[in-house]
Amino acid sequence: MTVVVGVDGSGRTRRLGEIATAAGRPAVRVSPATTDDLQVLLDQARADDALVLVDDAHHLEPATLRSLTVAARGGVSMAIARRPTITGPELADLDEAVSGQGPVEQLGPLAPAALAELAKAVLGRPATSEQLAALQVASAGLAAVAVAVAADPSGTPPALVARLQRRFAAAGRDAAGRAIAGLAAVLALGLDLADDVVCAATGLDPAEAAATMRSLRDEGLLTPDGERLIPAVARAVLFDLPPSERRRLHETVATALLATGADPVRAAGQLRAARARTPTAADVYRQAGDRLRFTDPGSALTWYDDALDAGADPSTVTAGRAEAATLLGVPVDLDGPAAAAADTGRIALVAGAAAAYDGRAGRAAEALLGADAPGPVLAVPALVVTGQLAAARTAATGSAPLPVRRLADAALAMTDPAAALPLLIEAAESFEKAPPPVAVPDLPHAVGALVAVAAGDSATAEHLLERAATSGAGGPVALDRHRTLLAWVRMRTGRYDSAVAELHRLSGAMLPGRERLTYAGLTAGIARRSGDIAQLRAAWSVAEPVLARRAVDLSQLEVVEELLVAAARLRHHQRIAPVLADLAGIIDQLGRPTAWTVSLSWIRLQIAVVGEDPAAAAAAADELGSLDPNGFRQQAQCQAAGRWAAVLAGEVDPDAVLADAAELAAAELPWESSRLIGQAAVRTTDASAARRLLERARELSRMDPVPAESQPGTSHGGLSDREVEVARLVLAGRTHREIGTQLFLSPKTVEHHVARIRGKLGVTTRAEMVATLRGLLPEES
């Protein structure tokens, strides 16, 4: 007695034949076609002691099953084959009668060796390992499907298509059959659909769906796990569907996904895999883009593209595309017909953010004030940095999410950086916990970092920017901002490695105006500190078009300092006065807050220093001396200003210079500290004091290595490293005093170096030396 259990196509009939052969006795076959003579067959089996083979027992009538059960219990030897599902009590009784006296064999997927034998039989030769692997995947190891696939491995097997056509044509006669065909079509799409979505797409209730899945499994159409169609079967099902029917099927599934509240990103991913291009699929793609536009703007743009390809109305995706593109730093057309027909409130918010990224805070404030909530509250930082404090206070009363309100409150306190900084830190934490669903002109991390630098707290600035860069807050365009500002902060405090790395990373990048300005400030800062006049010119070429727009604001003041000093060094004075006037106007509108007034007067001092203008330096020092600073950095600047003006006028008190320079270094202005000492050293007439000052200046300048690109290389033509440094500055057109200031050497020492260079090169005139050096040293761009 044996029960063989397996799905259709698993080899049940073949297995019964093997059992009969192994029994070594007569066999009588019973099938749905022979039931009319059942009693005769059973009587013959008793008389001949034959083995009764019952094939497709699940298809037999109840009366036939009852007769077979009586015979099995009466001692007739029997082997039956059936599907996995027992469909009625009569089949259950027969199964119990037979299995109680013998084994139950479960036919599953073919083992690798058996599959290889099958493929060899079909192909007439052994299959390769690659062919066998592909056959296993396509057929899921089901014998009948494997035979069809092996016979036609390159396409959809006609035999398999014909089998399914016959099955579904016959099934169409009743509701259960139609359910099987409908469910097979949905599963053929290969989508990972939840049960409720499958029910909604097929119109079946859960019980009906479960029963239909069992039928598909029993008919040998599902993989062994019972979750999906066998891949070759799925291809055959879809092959037989005309394009219009496929589109209708995609539409049905998309509608079901929406109706059941499925995650639109997950739903869109499934529909994309199925290449769905229907109106409902377009809506799902649009919803996916809307879901991701602030958290993953790059993916959002691809979903919006899919929505348009599927026929979505451009006006329904324009606002979302604009939001995502803005966060990516991609140019956006906000004036076209699609934008005009889109959600104007969202478009206005995007326009404000885009203007801020471009470095136009005034335009950003104007756009945001005209937008719906939370536009006016978002405008508050831009209003403050452009000097519109009263308007900012009014705008801050509008409606906005908590993180946006906290940023606005912090911005209102920016007239006092020390007071604003804790509020900006709190706003940054709030943004990280609950990012607002809107394109933000600037994150509190960046605003906080700029305010922290003005307050002399670079550690907090770095902490905020590192957190922002790590979290990816604000999208790729904000990442560029945060990384560039972080490098700039480190450069200002005497650490050049990050600045150089950022210059390399951003070289050739298309940056918005605000970041172009910071990039130029980085370039200028490194150039000044390394004495690279060519790099200084490159920085100015980037900055000049941005500064020419006359769109500077208070948040850019620290970065602008580097650029205005570079302009003074390059004798581009025509650009300096208008920018200083604009910044002074903003500070005046804010009531001349001390911190920002100190910063502006300090810029004037640095411009005077680089231009060696004692009168202008004295005027700037007088401005700073009249102020009442309330922070350590401001106090150090105000104190050092008077000392610097005195040094430029030739009045050098070495001990006082060192004391004031120490305060600057402690206030995280090491470069300025070393400059003050170096200039005092080249102006003092006391040789001993000059040596002491130069030694201290060198110590300060060594706080961090000079960027690798600016370090002297190995000697050239017998020149020492120091002589190579001097030679490069000679080629850059620097005077002996300028070279001494750059390298912390006295002009007399520079003169000695130049004389030794001439001797080593064998030249007698400066012109000959310059010509020889140009051929000896590689030109620096």
Side-chain angles (χ1 to χ4, degrees), residues 129-149:
S129 58
E130 291 80 6
Q131 288 174 322
L132 289 175
L135 181 60
Q136 172 62 44
V137 171
S139 68
L142 188 69
V145 178
V147 169
V149 173

Side-chain angles (χ1 to χ4, degrees), residues 320-490:
R321 280 185 62 84
E323 289 163 339
T326 299
L327 293 184
L328 289 170
V330 175
V332 180
D333 179 12
L334 299 178
D335 299 316
D343 185 335
T344 55
R346 288 167 64 187
I347 292 295
L349 292 173
V350 171
Y357 300 159
D358 197 35
R360 297 181 181 276
R363 293 252 182 107
E366 181 181 352
L368 292 169
L369 285 174
D372 296 334
V377 183
L378 282 170
V380 171
L383 289 167
V384 171
V385 299
T386 53
Q388 304 175 70
L389 194 55
R393 289 176 178 142
T394 300
T397 61
S399 174
L402 179 61
V404 175
R405 293 203 307 274
R406 285 186 170 160
L407 174 56
D409 292 340
L412 290 174
M414 280 174 58
T415 51
D416 181 357
L421 190 53
L423 299 176
L424 286 163
I425 294 172
E426 184 180 10
E429 293 169 349
S430 182
F431 264 76
E432 291 172 11
K433 291 177 183 176
V438 66
V440 181
D442 207 0
L443 266 68
H445 304 74
V447 179
L450 291 165
V451 169
V453 170
D457 187 356
S458 66
T460 296
E462 290 188 40
H463 175 66
L464 285 169
L465 293 169
E466 286 170 345
R467 279 174 53 171
T470 300
S471 68
V477 72
L479 178 61
D480 274 342
R481 176 157 177 74
H482 296 142
R483 288 182 57 175
T484 307
L485 282 176
L486 179 60
W488 176 77
V489 170
R490 289 175 173 167

